[in-house]
Amino acid sequence: MLGFNDIIGHEEIIRHLKNAIQTEKVSHSYIFTGDPGSGKKLLAGTYAMTLQCEEGGTEPCGHCDSCKKAIGKNHPDIIMVTHEKPNVITIDEIREQIINDVDIKPYCSPYKIYIVANAELMNPQAQNALLKTIEEPPEYAVIMLLTSNIDALLPTIRSRCVRLDLKVVDDGLVKKYLMEHLHIPDYQAEIDASYAHGSIGRAKQVATSQEFADMTQNALRILKNADGMEVYELTEAIKELSNDKQNISDYLDLFQFWFRDVLMFKATREVDNLVFKQEINYIREQASQRSYENLEKILDALEKTKVRLRANVNTELALELLFLTIREK
């Protein structure tokens, strides 16, 4: 059972939500905004469950009838708004699930809560229709809009909702979570946490993905041997990478972590802050062989490669240029 106490990070938002419950100043409309995987759904769901909990505290009790229904995702007064098409929420869907429903009093709870995930997908007509309900809601209604692109919401909607910005969670907390909850070994949790850029959702995804583990091993194999590879071996590696188009930006991220580690170790001689701690022998060796200028050049080349690939430049060509830079000493 998850309550606010089990959520990693987001302390300020949790304080705000608990305070709203305590002082009975629950708003009729909220916007939870943050990157995909930042925990919007988890926060909104926990808030909804707490608001409906029969114990009436600032944490959901987890065992009353209301909490059990919320956990089982079949609470009649917590409505998750759904949509048919993958990239649009239409006016009909908003009318049917919120506007025409909101005047019916809650079945068994103090509130009637509507959660709209990916709210940026509402087209302007749907948003305009919803605006009236946000402006004049019944006293028991709470509408939560979750979005990773707040600019796609109309200014009129933005100005009438309490806005909660989810910040990224510290890498150390993400790593700790992976080790304690998913029993991921230390060095792997370090890589997963760095890669997830503060998103617990993304960290869980990569930590449990065999594909990501294989990818990390393959990236390391290339990085450790790039200097000594024969031209034909490098060409093979480049071909292999360019065929794996959907993972190419993940590979480039891993390459970036590696060369940042080499640069960091060269500058500080400290192992603590490295992502690839377990590869310290290789990192030490590369740090002694490469100049600061060379490492800066490589990191710059990695950024340029990302830009080129986004601009649909030939993948193989972009990677060849990158490897030429990596092989220069």
Side-chain angles (χ1 to χ4, degrees):
M1 201 298 283
L2 273 176
F4 285 123
N5 293 336
D6 304 290
I7 294 176
I8 313 292
H10 310 306
E11 294 86 355
E12 273 176 47
I13 292 178
I14 291 170
R15 248 198 314 280
H16 174 89
L17 296 174
K18 284 184 163 186
N19 190 40
I21 297 170
Q22 235 164 356
T23 56
E24 296 181 5
K25 288 191 177 144
V26 173
S27 172
H28 286 297
S29 44
Y30 291 92
I31 295 173
F32 290 81
T33 172
D35 290 340
S38 57
K40 299 181 289 289
K41 219 178 229 165
L42 181 60
L43 273 168
T46 307
Y47 188 39
M49 185 160 141
T50 312
L51 287 173
Q52 305 292 39
C53 175
E54 288 160 29
E55 303 265 303
T58 56
E59 281 283 338
C61 74
H63 49 250
C64 71
D65 202 32
S66 174
C67 281
K68 281 182 185 155
K69 282 181 183 148
I71 292 166
K73 306 219 182 316
N74 55 8
H75 198 299
D77 295 319
I78 299 176
I79 295 112
M80 297 296 297
V81 174
T82 58
H83 54 103
E84 286 287 303
K85 293 185 179 145
N87 32 17
V88 66
I89 301 173
T90 63
I91 184 168
D92 291 339
E93 288 163 332
I94 290 297
R95 273 204 187 115
E96 194 185 317
Q97 296 173 68
I98 303 180
I99 298 164
N100 300 342
D101 184 76
V102 78
D103 289 329
I104 303 164
K105 286 197 161 72
Y107 291 98
C108 54
S109 322
Y111 297 97
K112 201 158 189 187
I113 299 171
Y114 300 88
I115 299 176
V116 186
N118 305 314
E120 70 275 6
L121 299 180
M122 287 190 288
N123 61 24
Q125 296 84 335
Q127 292 192 46
N128 276 315
L130 183 60
L131 187 59
K132 186 147 175 43
T133 306
I134 287 176
E135 284 174 334
E136 299 165 19
E139 78 276 11
Y140 49 75
V142 178
I143 295 169
M144 303 185 195
L145 305 177
L146 322 184
T147 182
S148 42
N149 177 13
I150 191 158
D151 296 330
L153 297 177
L154 297 173
T156 41
I157 289 209
R158 296 203 298 259
S159 65
R160 283 166 177 77
C161 297
V162 171
R163 175 176 168 170
L164 302 168
D165 286 87
L166 278 70
K167 307 273 189 297
V168 294
V169 180
D170 179 72
D171 279 2
L173 287 176
V174 178
K175 179 184 170 185
K176 187 168 175 255
Y177 173 88
L178 293 176
M179 288 170 70
E180 286 175 6
H181 292 257
L182 300 179
H183 310 296
I184 305 293
D186 182 313
Y187 67 91
Q188 188 62 47
E190 184 85 51
I191 297 165
D192 297 340
S194 301
Y195 176 78
H197 300 299
S199 156
I200 292 273
R202 197 170 177 205
K204 275 159 78 170
Q205 217 177 347
V206 297
T208 52
S209 152
Q210 187 52 49
E211 188 184 15
F212 185 75
D214 295 344
M215 212 161 62
T216 306
Q217 288 317 308
N218 193 30
L220 287 174
R221 183 181 59 79
I222 294 170
L223 289 162
K224 290 179 198 171
N225 302 314
D227 294 344
M229 275 184 178
E230 296 292 337
V231 174
Y232 76 90
E233 291 176 295
L234 250 186
T235 315
E236 271 307 297
I238 289 169
K239 263 213 174 67
E240 213 176 288
L241 283 185
S242 34
N243 290 336
D244 192 1
K245 276 204 172 55
Q246 72 206 57
N247 291 326
I248 196 87
S249 73
D250 296 343
Y251 271 111
L252 294 175
D253 276 349
L254 291 166
F255 288 4
Q256 262 176 328
F257 294 150
W258 175 268
F259 286 108
R260 270 193 213 130
D261 274 2
V262 176
L263 183 60
M264 185 88 119
F265 183 76
K266 189 175 180 67
T268 65
R269 289 277 172 239
E270 283 173 12
V271 182
D272 278 357
N273 296 322
L274 304 184
V275 174
F276 293 111
K277 289 187 183 66
Q278 82 282 18
E279 304 296 346
I280 181 58
N281 293 338
Y282 286 96
I283 285 172
R284 185 181 283 119
E285 191 183 327
Q286 293 221 358
S288 66
Q289 290 170 357
R290 293 181 183 279
S291 67
Y292 285 112
E293 193 187 0
N294 171 242
L295 290 166
E296 295 286 1
K297 211 170 171 183
I298 291 171
L299 287 166
D300 191 42
L302 278 158
E303 277 306 328
K304 276 191 185 130
T305 307
K306 285 184 174 182
V307 173
R308 284 181 184 133
L309 293 178
R310 278 200 293 272
N312 287 325
V313 171
N314 177 303
T315 311
E316 227 165 292
L317 185 66
L319 290 174
E320 263 172 45
L321 288 170
L322 172 65
F323 277 105
L324 281 174
T325 310
I326 289 175
R327 288 191 62 154
E328 279 172 17
K329 281 282 171 74

